[in-house]
Amino acid sequence: MQSQDVAPRPAPASGPVVDVEQAEAALVEHYPRLVRLAYLVLPPSLGRNRRVLTAHALTQRALPRGRTSGDASVIPSQQTGGGRDGDPGYAFVRLQVVRTALEAGLPLKRRAWPKRSQLPPLLPQVWGLRLFPRSGGADELALDQRLSALSGPARAAYVLRGLEKLSDAHVHRVLTAAGVEDPGAALAGAGGVEAQDSLLDSPEFDPCSLHARPTDLMRRRQHMKAALAAAAAVAVCGALLGLPGDGWGPDGAAAPSYAQNPAAEAALDPAKLTKVVATAWESSARTDFSVWPARGNLTGDTALLRRALAVWARPGESVAVSATPGTPSGAPAGPPQLLYAGDVDQARVVLLYDGLRIVRYAEPKDGTNAAALDFARVDGATGSEAQAVVVDRTDGNVRYLTAPWVSKAAERDLLKPSSGAMDLPLSADGVTSPLASPAQKTGACTSWNVLQLKDDRGTRLMSDLGELTPAHLTAGRPSSPHEASGAEALRGWAPFACSLASVRSQGVRSVNAWQYTQQSLPDASGSAEWVCTRADTWRGGGTRVLAQFHTPGSPYGAVAAKAENSPACGSRDPHVLAGVLWKSAGGSWYLLAAGSQDTESIRTTGGAHAASQGNLLAVRTKQGVQAGLKGTLSDGSSIGALR
């Protein structure tokens, strides 16, 4: 392991105050990117398994213990645009990750206590498995070897320059704040490696997308024999103590766990699968998954269906299992409903429904060694929420199985509302042609493709967020949202489409965009839009609310405030108040605030003192000012800033 020139942490110049909530929001939103950053900076000599666990541990420990002043040289005072670039919370957490990753690569010294980051992580821990990212190609391997030859600071400089797209001056400031003695030498060392920025986004360096392999099986077997003998003795003693005179013990009249159960056996029998006839939906008042017919060219393949049901009940170690948050992944309680069984691209796919969940089983056409099992919660889905299910993902594209009542499918770019929709042909079974998915995209957001579906009830937009069921997009007031497929709604969604990336893989059911007010900007700078986007989930909790600010001439909205598990901008609490520091074209700084239409007055607290009647406030101030907001609604109740 090479020595690294990392000095004790210098005293930073006082910068903006970063509180725990702000840092936590940045860490949660950008967690995969921060873990990738830590993984790349850590020395490869640690081994891939320890690098993965250490990268997660360092990122999770990056939160401050309380409100803290960041380093003014590397932490911005305001959000100057959408995403992470101007987020003080993200800059603070990133600095902590870089600092501890450099410390983790330092050699242990005699007669000195090691730093916490130099020791194997206590959490997270994985027992019995070795984890490592997916293997890349020859280019990724060559880059990893070249990075391993660099010192820790030089490796950090290369990653900050290539992955984070920071200028050399900014990299110099970050390395200085991280305690590097000679940032110039680190930059020079990084310059000796050919810039291959696109490779840094490769799955080879993604510690959030992992393969698993067993550890030393012979040693584990020896240890397990001793552990099992001890456990058996404890179990026998516990059973003798727990058995009453005339019963089974704590489980009452239940049969032992190894007893056969008729309902469980029926759930695994392909012959007992529910198969709805093709015309049932035409005469039913229901518009949910229960009236979807069984479709696909393999609905009669009993062996395939038996494998799918068996893997659902007890997936083996080689099965890749995923579930949306809040979705139970246990076996079905009884025979489920078959929605689809057929060949799609290079896989055999089975879609099942048990009234609560959609379950997707997929296996390669040439075997069953790389089977996958995915769960998604869909209880209460009806109408727009039961329009489509992901049937396959290949090479960044996604195919959907559409509801039997869908007559037409199309693809459109949500960032370009005037560009029109491109038709997606439907197969006889209702499977769409491949659609470029935004769910796995990394880097700059230059497009956001959504699925447009038409039936006799209207046209709807659905967005893939990396799960089995796409999220339904709507627009308008929380009390009466409408479809986002109209021309005005499309124009309203365009600046905020990229914010959907913040709710990927969160079990999102629907996302509504509500333009709650407009504000004339000072210095004759035009009119800005204030929009609140709310992502509701299938499980009820975990809602995400963003108050966003869009100025003329900017293609994207800027996140002014965010909250999780908040009723704001929802049907139960259709109110919101948010503010932002804004710099006019003339160079003046203003504190702008806006509330929903029923806000009667707004006042500021903290570093700025101002008040206004109505739902808008604009006051001239200084760069970096820290201020709070309070408002009064028309019914006399108070409202605070979204957070």
Side-chain angles (χ1 to χ4, degrees), residues 313-543:
R314 48 183 194 282
E317 293 183 357
S318 65
V319 179
V321 181
S322 70
T324 57
T327 304
S329 57
Q337 176 185 343
L338 177 63
L339 302 182
Y340 182 85
D343 293 309
V344 185
D345 295 324
Q346 300 303 312
R348 290 188 290 263
V349 178
V350 178
L351 292 176
L352 300 163
Y353 171 63
D354 69 351
L356 170 67
R357 302 164 293 177
I358 293 286
V359 178
R360 175 183 177 271
Y361 170 79
E363 64 182 29
K365 287 183 178 179
D366 57 358
T368 62
N369 290 333
L373 188 67
D374 305 311
F375 295 85
R377 184 170 172 174
V378 292
D379 48 316
T382 185
S384 302
E385 296 163 345
Q387 290 275 84
V389 176
V390 170
V391 71
D392 187 52
R393 296 182 186 275
T394 306
D395 299 328
N397 296 319
V398 60
R399 290 181 186 263
Y400 294 94
L401 176 66
T402 58
W405 51 84
V406 170
S407 59
K408 187 176 181 181
E411 170 186 1
R412 74 159 52 246
D413 187 350
L414 202 57
L415 283 177
K416 301 171 183 175
S418 60
S419 62
M422 181 176 66
D423 287 345
L424 283 177
L426 293 173
S427 72
D429 291 325
V431 177
T432 68
S433 299
L435 163 72
S437 170
Q440 305 299 326
K441 292 178 63 175
T442 58
C445 179
T446 56
S447 65
W448 195 276
N449 295 322
V450 296
L451 177 67
Q452 180 173 290
L453 298 176
K454 183 179 181 181
D455 59 25
D456 58 2
R457 299 176 182 85
T459 303
R460 298 168 176 83
L461 293 186
M462 320 293 288
S463 178
D464 180 24
L465 296 178
E467 297 169 327
L468 277 182
T469 54
H472 180 209
L473 302 184
T474 59
R477 293 187 59 83
S479 57
S480 56
H482 54 81
E483 297 298 334
S485 53
E488 183 179 353
L490 288 171
R491 288 192 296 271
W493 253 109
F496 312 104
C498 292
S499 67
L500 289 169
S502 66
V503 291
R504 288 172 178 156
S505 302
Q506 297 298 314
V508 172
R509 184 173 191 160
S510 62
V511 186
N512 185 60
W514 169 38
Q515 181 180 308
Y516 61 90
T517 194
Q518 289 186 312
Q519 183 173 24
S520 296
L521 297 172
D523 298 346
S525 299
S527 179
E529 301 168 338
W530 287 89
V531 170
C532 189
T533 56
R534 178 183 175 88
D536 286 303
T537 67
W538 289 99
R539 64 190 182 278
T543 57

Side-chain angles (χ1 to χ4, degrees), residues 254-266 268:
S257 59
Y258 51 79
Q260 293 181 335
N261 181 279
E265 289 182 335
L268 301 179

Side-chain angles (χ1 to χ4, degrees), residues 52-73:
V52 166
L53 297 178
T54 302
H56 283 275
L58 297 182
T59 304
Q60 293 171 17
R61 294 205 304 262
L63 290 179
R65 296 185 180 276
R67 289 172 61 87
T68 182
S69 294
D71 189 327
S73 66

Side-chain angles (χ1 to χ4, degrees), residues 11 21 23 68 123 141 161-162 177 222 324 330 375 408 422 427 575 581 612 635:
E21 292 82 3
T68 182
L123 291 174
L141 178 61
R161 180 192 285 163
Q222 294 171 355
T324 57
F375 295 85
K408 187 176 181 181
M422 181 176 66
S427 72
H575 314 289
L581 281 175
S612 70
D635 61 2

